[in-house]
Amino acid sequence: HVTERTTSFVIGVGEPYKPGGDGRVGDVWGGLLVRNSNTGFAALAVQLHLTRLVCLNGMTVPHEEAVLRRVHRGLDIGDLEVKLYAKLRDLPARLRKGTDTLAATTRIRVDDVNEEIGRFLENARQPRRLAPQIEAAYKKEEHASAFGIVQAITLAAQSLSAEERYELERAAGAYAASSLS
């Protein structure tokens, strides 16, 4: 996605993975989400990213902080290379852990989906105006679980600007991780 503020892209890594084998999550492609801005709107950010192939919904890996986040002032390319190498050494294992976390969210029951969406928006400090979009997205693939909530969030994110989508996908990953604790 290229906008006036940012450029974002996802790089696929390896082959798709089917977590859990239960068929509910489906194949997931691990990768890296890279976002940068030439305008100063956002810092350079590299994050582990999962894309569910059946619907092309994406989210940042639930158990990870950013692989790299650096403001543009005083970037040292050598330092960036060292830090990236250290963070990406065990990339496949870290992506698999993320897909396993996503699969585990299918077992976390959610009784009141609309209430849970409201709680998610409040905890993630996302605008309440997104609730109807997320609720409509949930109805397309109903699954009364934390997985269903994550799916609805990431599906609704597809209709937003690249900057809003990035924030919502990050929040979806955080929600998935917090639903297991």
Side-chain angles (χ1 to χ4, degrees), residues 13-158:
V13 175
E15 297 295 323
Y17 169 66
K18 184 175 288 236
D22 64 7
R24 292 183 187 239
V25 172
D27 292 354
V28 176
W29 195 290
L32 294 171
L33 177 126
V34 180
R35 182 176 88 151
N36 200 11
S37 172
N38 290 331
T39 65
F41 176 79
L44 168 65
V46 179
Q47 294 188 260
L48 298 183
H49 191 266
L50 302 174
T51 303
R52 184 171 175 234
L53 297 180
V54 72
C55 56
L56 298 180
N57 291 9
M59 69 177 209
T60 61
V61 173
H63 63 86
E64 292 287 333
E65 293 297 322
V67 170
L68 178 73
R69 182 166 163 69
R70 292 287 180 267
V71 295
H72 294 147
R73 294 181 302 273
L75 283 178
D76 178 341
I77 298 301
D79 182 53
L80 285 178
E81 287 175 354
V82 168
K83 286 183 170 59
L84 273 173
Y85 175 76
K87 291 281 193 161
L88 298 178
R89 262 191 311 235
D90 56 351
L91 181 64
R94 291 166 65 194
L95 288 170
R96 177 162 286 199
K97 183 178 175 190
T99 56
D100 289 343
T101 298
L102 183 60
T105 63
T106 64
R107 297 185 295 276
I108 308 297
R109 181 150 178 77
V110 171
D111 294 318
D112 187 331
V113 170
N114 292 348
E115 183 180 311
E116 188 68 9
I117 290 169
R119 191 173 13 260
F120 159 76
L121 290 170
E122 183 177 326
N123 291 342
R125 295 190 169 122
Q126 295 294 313
R128 247 344 248 168
R129 68 175 166 75
L130 295 176
Q133 288 174 267
I134 296 171
E135 291 165 6
Y138 176 82
K139 289 181 184 349
K140 291 182 179 177
E141 187 180 357
E142 293 186 18
H143 193 278
S145 66
F147 173 78
I149 301 296
V150 168
Q151 273 303 107
I153 294 164
T154 56
L155 180 57
Q158 289 182 4

